[in-house]
Amino acid sequence: MFYAIPKGDVNPLAHELVDRFGSLSGAMDALPEELTKVSGVGEYTATLLKLIPAMMGRYLEQRTEPGSIIHTAAEAGHELAPYFYGARNEMAYVLCLDAKEKRLGVRKISEGNNTNSDVTIRRVAEECMALRASFCYLAHNHVSGIALPSPQDMSTTNVVRAALSPLGVELVDHLVFVDGDLVSVRDTVRSGKGGYQLIRSVQW
């Protein structure tokens, strides 16, 4: 913050921001108008705080070089995670692979609000066909902080798989991201009678 406020001690202000928004990430995720309500935070300081997560997201994205071989959900998650870095809205992406499971590219499918993001089946198909994909991973984030797939997520997975199959594209998995963590729809669990059991509503 010293770069935005070169004169004076910015340490008390930094502590005030963390206290006000609950954490460092909370301060960086806050809207500019929320930041400027804090005494001592002007336009330049708010802009600096918003630039840091945006730059880190782009940095992590560019570290992922094209041509990576993707064999597991964890590897796919590593490729996709930077696209959800600092996201305030739910978004959906598709990671496309060739017949040898080599990364062809990641394409944004949709962006909604902080509660949902609609996945357009036609858009998924178009992006897969444009990259000549043989395999793909669908991914979206939950801003709510709940990583377990919703019934709508399960339904979307089934519909996307069925739509891509006649095109010669296999949906390998559907990944749900929350705060840097990911859950595989293929491998996830859902609460049963006081415990957890494998979800069977998606047939792989």
Side-chain angles (χ1 to χ4, degrees):
M1 290 177 57
F2 178 76
Y3 290 98
I5 311 174
K7 296 182 179 180
D9 182 8
V10 296
N11 191 53
L13 179 57
H15 283 286
E16 184 177 350
L17 285 168
V18 170
D19 291 341
R20 171 118 179 214
F21 296 104
S23 64
L24 176 61
S25 61
M28 289 186 172
D29 287 341
L31 295 173
E33 52 266 34
E34 295 174 341
L35 291 168
T36 53
K37 290 179 182 178
V38 178
S39 178
V41 177
E43 180 182 351
Y44 292 145
T45 303
T47 300
L48 175 64
L49 291 174
K50 299 305 296 179
L51 278 175
I52 293 173
M55 289 176 62
M56 284 302 298
R58 183 62 61 88
Y59 167 73
L60 292 173
E61 175 186 338
Q62 292 184 355
R63 284 191 63 189
T64 305
E65 297 181 358
S68 302
I69 302 297
I70 310 298
H71 290 309
T72 66
E75 291 172 347
H78 177 73
E79 299 281 328
L80 288 158
Y83 295 89
F84 299 104
Y85 190 89
R88 296 184 61 88
N89 294 324
E90 287 201 4
M91 301 183 294
Y93 286 86
V94 62
L95 165 63
C96 296
L97 312 176
D98 67 11
K100 296 182 178 180
E101 297 183 282
K102 181 182 293 185
R103 181 185 189 270
L104 295 172
V106 176
R107 295 292 183 268
K108 188 175 184 179
I109 301 303
S110 65
E111 180 172 354
N113 51 37
N114 61 358
T115 58
N116 66 77
S117 175
D118 294 330
V119 175
T120 304
I121 309 304
R122 178 176 178 177
R123 180 68 183 276
V124 176
E126 287 177 346
E127 296 297 352
C128 287
M129 297 307 293
L131 291 176
R132 299 182 180 180
S134 295
F135 302 97
C136 72
Y137 285 82
L138 184 64
H140 78 284
N141 62 320
H142 282 180
V143 180
S144 65
I146 302 175
L148 286 178
S150 67
Q152 182 179 356
D153 295 337
M154 307 304 294
S155 175
T156 297
T157 304
N158 284 324
V159 172
V160 171
R161 286 187 73 244
L164 293 180
S165 184
L167 302 177
V169 182
E170 178 183 339
L171 176 63
V172 182
D173 206 342
H174 183 176
L175 306 179
V176 182
F177 287 81
V178 175
D179 293 334
D181 295 326
L182 70 87
V183 172
S184 159
V185 168
R186 184 171 183 171
D187 301 329
T188 195
V189 292
R190 173 182 291 171
S191 178
K193 293 182 178 180
Y196 290 86
Q197 60 187 5
L198 289 174
I199 290 177
R200 299 300 182 187
S201 58
V202 175
Q203 301 299 319
W204 298 93

